[in-house]
Amino acid sequence: MIRVMVVDDQALVRRGFALVLDNEPDIEVVAEAGTGVEAIEAARAHQPDIILMDIRMPEMDGLEATARLLQTEEKAEANGTPCRVIILTTFDPDEYVFRALQAGASGFVLKDIPPEALVEAVRTVADGGAMLAPGITQRLISQFAQKLGTGRNLAERLERLTTREREVLAAIADGKSNAEIAEALFIGAATVKTHVSSVLSKLGLRDRAQAVVFAYECGLATAGGRDVGF
Amino acid sequence: MIRVMVVDDQALVRRGFALVLDNEPDIEVVAEAGTGVEAIEAARAHQPDIILMDIRMPEMDGLEATARLLQTEEKAEANGTPCRVIILTTFDPDEYVFRALQAGASGFVLKDIPPEALVEAVRTVADGGAMLAPGITQRLISQFAQKLGTGRNLAERLERLTTREREVLAAIADGKSNAEIAEALFIGAATVKTHVSSVLSKLGLRDRAQAVVFAYECGLATAGGRDVGF
DNA sequence: CATCGTCTCCACCTTTTGGGGGAGATCTGA
DNA sequence: TCAGATCTCCCCCAAAAGGTGGAGACGATG
């Protein structure tokens, strides 16, 4: 049985969704809430598996509430509900979507979806999957493809480098100085200089700063995978 | 009426999908193909709206075929079918997914989905949306959230900088030398040095290379939006 | 009005970087 | 076996970068 909580400030809308879901044999609406604050309290009290969350609400909006819920969950971890959130809204501006996904939402669907699709979304997310409105999936894909895309042409230039040179480039893209690279690779400082020169010359770059840019643009280095604790 | 082409090297599987789809009143299967090469020919001949594409095939795999189809489309543009591809496969290793999305696919679903869901996927994609298998959507989201996520903490450090300093940092992240920055910002080279020093000191960085790393990690600079034509 | 932050610049100095050579040791493939 | 590529290291040198300290101008803020 999938335990669901519906959060929306409009009681009528809330009841509508609740009725649709409660009508399913495998879904049970265990709580409702009208504000973000209420949502957080109710989630603690009723431990739902899935939360359907509106964005525009008084007191605390749905994105904020989602972030808080999933954040405290992280800390509690083993303790309780690995509850998952589906954002359910009338609008889909990019800003909302990104903030929602960043907050940890597992779904983002528009209120105009047919009831069966909503039910399906709940089941999918309860099952560990994620569900986005088709148009949003579309944008997510194109943004993603864009980030991957440019790498291609540049990655070819990368192949002109020897293995050692690529290692050095990676170290440069890590923010290391020549001395640090020497230490990291167990070679002399002079050798590092030689490799750095080769890298710059082969890639048509002027200095290590441009090398860092190149590394990020071609995918050798990627944002999001670091502690910038230099 | 949605014109669909089914591409799969196993005739039995192909027919199965074709029958399911043809059974829908608003969908018409106009062609079938058993290899990537055939798929490209058939697509030209029959101008389908949607192509269901298997990955593992003789002669040319589905990803390659997808890339070629959508690439030539781009060139033809106004000319013909803005045809869209749904990858339909048994496996979902990340590598395939990424290559598929990069090739321009609008969907990536597994062959074990229920027939109604397949039909729904076709309609969604024909309608301009995109459809991914739930688990894939999940991974796409987490990868995306990760990229956005790290930026937060670092973006706060960014706020310690003055406007001018952020501009200078952005220029550094562009691969510019101090002299070039001076020219770009219409200030003296000495001034640039001052700003650079402030940036490094305020952010706790050692040199401009680390500054570039920082800029990418905090989202001030993002991969994919550049010509690395230094 | 005095102070603070910001932007602009200067001079002096040390360190790092990058370019130009050259050279020995391996290893691989023709 | 010999040519070529790669990795390693050296020297010298010029340019760039980075640190320190100081200074004038401007606007906001108390």
Side-chain angles (χ1 to χ4, degrees):
Chain A
M1 187 68 97
I2 306 174
R3 299 164 55 83
V4 176
M5 176 166 88
V6 181
V7 185
D8 195 310
D9 62 328
Q10 294 176 286
L12 221 53
V13 174
R14 201 163 68 217
R15 289 326 313 270
F17 289 131
L19 286 176
V20 167
L21 294 171
D22 240 344
N23 211 34
E24 298 294 316
D26 57 336
I27 297 179
E28 183 187 7
V29 176
V30 298
E32 296 184 19
T35 72
V37 176
E38 279 178 38
I40 292 180
E41 286 172 18
R44 278 197 226 292
H46 298 93
Q47 303 280 312
D49 301 314
I50 301 290
I51 301 177
L52 288 185
M53 182 84 77
D54 189 25
I55 291 185
R56 288 204 304 187
M57 287 186 298
E59 288 200 65
M60 182 191 296
D61 75 25
L63 299 177
E64 175 78 22
T66 300
R68 298 209 183 182
L69 270 169
L70 299 182
Q71 192 182 334
T72 54
E73 292 257 334
E74 261 179 39
K75 291 171 188 165
E77 260 194 75
N79 138 15
T81 332
C83 112
R84 301 167 63 95
V85 176
I86 299 175
I87 300 292
L88 190 57
T89 182
T90 312
F91 315 97
D92 73 332
D94 275 9
E95 189 201 352
Y96 283 177
V97 176
F98 292 153
R99 283 182 56 202
L101 299 185
Q102 194 184 349
S106 298
F108 197 108
V109 300
L110 303 183
K111 286 186 179 173
D112 63 3
I113 64 165
E116 319 85 62
L118 176 62
V119 172
E120 197 46 52
V122 170
R123 292 206 184 96
T124 298
V125 173
D127 213 51
M131 177 73 90
L132 300 178
I136 293 174
T137 305
Q138 177 65 37
R139 277 181 304 186
L140 202 64
I141 288 179
S142 49
Q143 293 227 11
F144 205 81
Q146 189 197 357
K147 291 203 188 294
L148 267 62
T150 40
R152 289 302 157 211
N153 340 316
L154 299 178
E156 291 168 14
R157 281 209 251 167
L158 244 186
E159 288 165 20
R160 307 179 98 82
L161 301 183
T162 67
T163 307
R164 207 49 163 169
E165 286 161 353
R166 267 192 295 275
E167 289 172 5
V168 171
L169 176 55
I172 291 175
D174 214 53
K176 290 188 168 71
S177 68
N178 287 342
E180 287 169 339
I181 296 175
E183 199 177 352
L185 299 185
F186 307 105
I187 56 181
T191 310
V192 175
K193 290 189 68 174
T194 305
H195 289 314
V196 171
S197 283
S198 305
V199 170
L200 297 181
S201 138
K202 284 188 182 177
L203 298 179
L205 308 172
R206 183 184 48 200
D207 52 46
R208 60 208 298 111
Q210 291 192 342
V212 175
V213 173
F214 182 93
Y216 272 93
E217 293 296 335
C218 81
L220 208 182
T222 59
R226 315 184 67 330
D227 324 324
V228 186
F230 291 121
Chain B
M1 189 68 97
I2 306 173
R3 299 164 56 82
V4 177
M5 176 166 90
V6 181
V7 185
D8 196 310
D9 61 326
Q10 294 175 287
L12 220 54
V13 174
R14 201 164 69 217
R15 286 332 308 271
F17 288 132
L19 285 176
V20 167
L21 293 170
D22 239 345
N23 211 32
E24 298 294 317
D26 56 337
I27 297 179
E28 183 186 6
V29 175
V30 296
E32 295 185 19
T35 72
V37 176
E38 279 179 38
I40 291 179
E41 286 171 18
R44 279 196 225 291
H46 298 93
Q47 303 279 310
D49 301 315
I50 301 292
I51 301 177
L52 288 185
M53 182 85 76
D54 189 25
I55 291 185
R56 288 205 304 188
M57 286 187 299
E59 289 200 65
M60 182 191 300
D61 75 25
L63 298 177
E64 176 78 21
T66 300
R68 297 208 182 182
L69 269 168
L70 298 182
Q71 193 182 331
T72 53
E73 291 259 334
E74 259 179 40
K75 290 171 188 164
E77 263 195 72
N79 140 15
T81 331
C83 115
R84 301 167 63 94
V85 176
I86 300 175
I87 300 292
L88 191 57
T89 181
T90 312
F91 315 96
D92 73 333
D94 275 9
E95 190 202 348
Y96 283 178
V97 176
F98 293 152
R99 283 182 56 202
L101 298 186
Q102 193 185 348
S106 298
F108 196 108
V109 300
L110 303 183
K111 286 188 179 173
D112 63 3
I113 63 167
E116 320 85 62
L118 176 62
V119 172
E120 198 46 51
V122 170
R123 291 206 185 98
T124 297
V125 172
D127 212 50
M131 177 73 87
L132 300 178
I136 293 174
T137 304
Q138 177 66 38
R139 278 180 304 187
L140 201 63
I141 288 179
S142 50
Q143 293 228 13
F144 204 81
Q146 190 197 359
K147 290 202 189 295
L148 266 62
T150 41
R152 289 303 158 206
N153 340 314
L154 299 178
E156 291 168 14
R157 280 211 253 168
L158 243 185
E159 288 166 19
R160 307 179 100 82
L161 301 183
T162 68
T163 308
R164 206 51 163 169
E165 286 161 354
R166 268 191 295 275
E167 289 173 6
V168 170
L169 176 55
I172 291 175
D174 214 54
K176 290 188 167 69
S177 69
N178 287 344
E180 287 169 339
I181 296 175
E183 197 177 354
L185 299 185
F186 306 106
I187 56 181
T191 309
V192 175
K193 290 188 70 173
T194 305
H195 289 314
V196 173
S197 283
S198 304
V199 170
L200 297 181
S201 141
K202 284 188 182 177
L203 299 178
L205 308 171
R206 184 183 46 200
D207 51 45
R208 60 207 301 107
Q210 291 191 342
V212 176
V213 174
F214 183 92
Y216 272 93
E217 293 295 334
C218 80
L220 208 181
T222 59
R226 322 186 63 335
D227 324 324
V228 186
F230 291 121

